[in-house]
Amino acid sequence: MLVMVVVVETPGSPLPIRACWLSWIAVHGAGQAELAALLGLTGVRETTWAEGADLVDDVAHSGEERFSTVVIPPPINAWTLVIGAWVGLPYLERTAYVTELCRQLSAEFGRAHAYFHSEQNDGEAWLIAEDGRVVRRWIAEYPGLALGEPFGVERRLLDEFGIPGRPEDLDPEDDRASSWGASWGECWAPVVAAESSIDPRQIGPETAAPGVVLVADTPLPDGQSEGMAPS
């Protein structure tokens, strides 16, 4: 008797998502499909956790192609992540778009954040938007683009460095500015994210993330022809 065996690849257990340059947005209360539609993403398909994690780092090293693809894990604690340089705050061609996108998404869902972390210690960024308003934007490479007031872990670490105000207001020659800028006071985007939403690097087999990982193509060339942003 001939027995046919069908091998079905399973999504596997959740895995940490890391990259030399890791960009992501986190939206509270949005489903994967809903968010993909709002962002105008196309070619949405399923993948495994392992392949998705590898793809995030591969795309981050792909030059101009790094803006072409995003990975969307299943919701974790009601937060849905969209991961890829297309939502990267420090890329100046993306900054205004990502800022307005998060503002609009926060008006729709209540909370939307954007983060960037460099494993190479050459950049950190975050944006916190709530109820249609940008609460804080910090891009370490471009302090002049900062918005709002430091709060939470950023405020606590600034206090430890003896910086009572905002780091963007310091004279670059100030010793406190030099000390803070040497490592951004260890105030890294994943630290802010762990306190405010989700740090993708802390995802693991014990993480409750029912569902599948999705991969999608972004609306190129400028990411603004479909979906939300700019207004």
Side-chain angles (χ1 to χ4, degrees):
M1 180 176 65
L2 179 64
V3 177
M4 179 177 292
V5 177
V6 178
V7 178
V8 178
E9 188 172 17
T10 62
S13 298
L15 294 172
I17 297 180
R18 311 180 72 103
C20 289
W21 302 279
L22 183 63
S23 304
W24 73 99
I25 63 171
V27 185
H28 191 267
Q32 288 170 292
E34 181 180 21
L35 197 50
L38 285 171
L39 299 181
L41 304 178
T42 58
V44 180
R45 61 267 189 200
E46 296 182 6
T47 190
T48 65
W49 276 97
E51 290 177 348
D54 287 344
L55 182 61
V56 166
D57 194 44
D58 289 346
V59 171
H61 288 85
S62 298
E64 288 304 313
E65 291 300 312
R66 64 178 175 261
F67 299 122
S68 66
T69 308
V70 292
V71 172
I72 312 173
I76 299 170
N77 293 334
W79 289 94
T80 297
L81 309 184
V82 178
I83 306 173
W86 187 69
V87 290
L89 277 170
Y91 303 106
L92 292 180
E93 63 266 54
R94 307 298 303 156
T95 304
Y97 179 84
V98 175
T99 300
E100 178 61 14
L101 177 65
C102 286
R103 190 196 66 75
Q104 291 183 24
L105 288 170
S106 75
E108 178 91 8
F109 297 102
R111 287 181 283 173
H113 304 171
Y115 301 96
F116 171 85
H117 171 66
S118 170
E119 296 277 357
Q120 312 302 314
N121 196 34
D122 57 8
E124 299 293 327
W126 53 86
L127 181 145
I128 308 295
E130 297 180 353
D131 300 321
R133 181 175 66 93
V134 174
V135 176
R136 177 62 168 163
R137 181 176 72 185
W138 169 253
I139 304 174
E141 296 167 280
Y142 307 106
L145 295 179
L147 298 171
E149 297 291 334
F151 73 97
V153 65
E154 182 189 6
R155 179 69 269 158
R156 296 194 298 274
L157 287 171
L158 285 166
D159 290 343
E160 290 180 15
F161 272 70
I163 301 173
R166 305 183 303 174
E168 58 266 32
D169 294 334
L170 289 175
D171 184 326
E173 301 303 318
D174 189 308
D175 289 342
R176 294 172 301 172
S178 299
S179 180
W180 177 260
S183 65
W184 297 291
E186 296 189 1
C187 190
W188 299 324
V191 177
V192 178
E195 180 176 84
S196 300
S197 54
I198 297 291
D199 174 6
R201 307 182 316 161
Q202 294 184 3
I203 297 171
E206 72 289 347
T207 302
V212 297
V213 179
L214 302 178
V215 178
D217 303 321
T218 62
L220 299 175
D222 61 8
Q224 300 177 5
S225 59
E226 296 180 43
M228 286 186 161
S231 60

